[in-house]
Amino acid sequence: MSSAIWALVAACVLWGTTGTAASFFSDDVSPLAIGASTMVVGGALLFATNHRRSLAVIGDRTVRAWLLAAAAGMVAYPLAFYAAMDLAGVAIGNVVSLGSGPIFAALLEWRLHRQRLTGRWMLSASIAIAGVALLVVGGHGSGSPVDPATIPAGVALGLVAGAGYALFTLASGTIIRRGHTGRATMGAAFGLAAIPLAVVLLVVGAPLLGSLQNVGLAAYLAVGPMFLAYVFFGWGIRALRSSTVTVITLLEPLVATLLAIAVVGERLEPLGWVGLALILLGVAVLSSARQPRPAP
């Protein structure tokens, strides 16, 4: 495995803990508050640790449209992602959000860059997406804390999150390949996304300060799955196409589902377990392929 893939794997493990961590917030904390606080604090950290180069990205007119697209994707993603997990459960919310990413990314690459998908990518994506479909169809078993009536709305929001994530991946990857560093690009995109999300946080974020547990969980989500994970993400995306990245990140729902079962108490039918195995197989097929060299 290349260092880029390992960096993405580390990011996926951190991202996979988000749903389980979010389940420990008090009931009065909304998923919108969780998503907004995570992005605002984590985005501010990403911007502050590399502010000079991030400002250079913001000031580069040749990538401004891509930067705005990346920021827009990151405004939509956390709000829809945490809401999807709240309504459909940690497992299904994750797999729909991340599992739909490769499809949206492939469509964007075809429409904007006219890039042809390789046979290896199509094989690995087909296996992984089939696993995602089985996981969703398998649904929650008896004794799971998720209300079946809210699952359709959660799935719809998961698709919104997947589209936002794919847009961010494609746009930020384009900026990086045009000469900016991964950390500078992450800092610029997340810094811009944090501005409208700060407004959301001001409106719905008061319950986050209701207890030390809420504050601690919010801090973890901002520093771990947001700040550190996206540092790894910026490293990995430099060497890989956005459609490839979205397939590798299917590891996140695998980690998230295992934690949801072991910690949160969610239960999957046997068909769901087959889906998990297919996701892992699809990522293994992709990681064994020869990766393209990073752009100059």
Side-chain angles (χ1 to χ4, degrees):
M1 267 189 196
S2 68
S3 59
I5 291 180
W6 279 115
L8 288 175
V9 168
C12 289
V13 172
L14 287 169
W15 287 332
T17 66
T18 56
T20 297
S23 70
F24 288 98
F25 280 99
S26 59
D27 293 338
D28 58 342
V29 178
S30 73
L32 295 182
I34 299 171
S37 66
T38 300
M39 175 63 68
V40 169
V41 178
L45 286 173
L46 284 167
F47 179 81
T49 55
N50 209 18
H51 65 279
R52 291 184 180 178
R53 292 185 177 182
S54 294
L55 287 173
V57 177
I58 295 174
D60 186 351
R61 294 184 179 181
T62 64
V63 299
R64 186 161 295 170
W66 290 111
L67 180 60
L68 291 175
M74 273 298 105
V75 170
Y77 176 73
L79 299 180
F81 178 63
Y82 283 97
M85 289 191 295
D86 182 63
L87 295 173
V90 174
I92 291 180
N94 265 274
V95 298
V96 173
S97 298
L98 273 296
S100 62
I103 298 174
F104 288 116
L107 291 174
L108 287 171
E109 285 185 337
W110 168 77
R111 182 65 178 86
L112 299 176
H113 290 333
R114 295 292 190 266
Q115 290 186 358
R116 182 181 63 87
L117 297 175
T118 65
R120 180 64 70 99
W121 183 90
M122 294 180 69
L123 175 62
S124 60
S126 297
I127 295 172
I129 292 173
V132 169
L134 288 177
L135 187 57
V136 173
V137 171
H140 290 279
S142 59
S144 182
V146 179
D147 182 1
T150 63
I151 290 178
V155 169
L157 287 168
L159 293 174
V160 173
Y165 176 77
L167 177 61
F168 166 75
T169 301
L170 177 70
S172 59
T174 301
I175 296 170
I176 291 170
R177 285 188 288 272
R178 291 189 179 183
H180 294 284
T181 67
R183 289 186 65 183
T185 302
M186 297 299 109
F190 281 76
L192 290 178
I195 297 173
L197 288 173
V199 178
V200 176
L201 184 59
L202 287 174
V203 175
V204 300
L208 286 170
L209 302 177
S211 69
L212 289 177
Q213 178 172 309
N214 287 345
V215 173
L217 288 169
Y220 166 73
L221 290 174
V223 175
M226 179 58 65
F227 175 64
L228 291 177
Y230 278 98
V231 169
F232 291 134
F233 180 82
W235 177 8
I237 197 176
R238 186 176 181 85
L240 303 169
R241 286 172 55 178
S242 60
S243 54
T244 301
V245 170
T246 52
V247 175
I248 294 175
T249 51
L250 288 173
L251 280 172
E252 176 187 346
L254 175 65
V255 174
T257 300
L258 294 176
L259 288 174
I261 292 170
V263 180
V264 181
E266 295 183 7
R267 295 292 180 265
L268 294 177
E269 300 290 350
L271 198 61
W273 287 107
V274 175
L276 285 177
L278 287 178
I279 292 173
L280 186 58
L281 176 61
V283 175
V285 170
L286 179 66
S287 64
S288 64
R290 183 177 181 181
Q291 300 298 326
R293 294 180 179 180

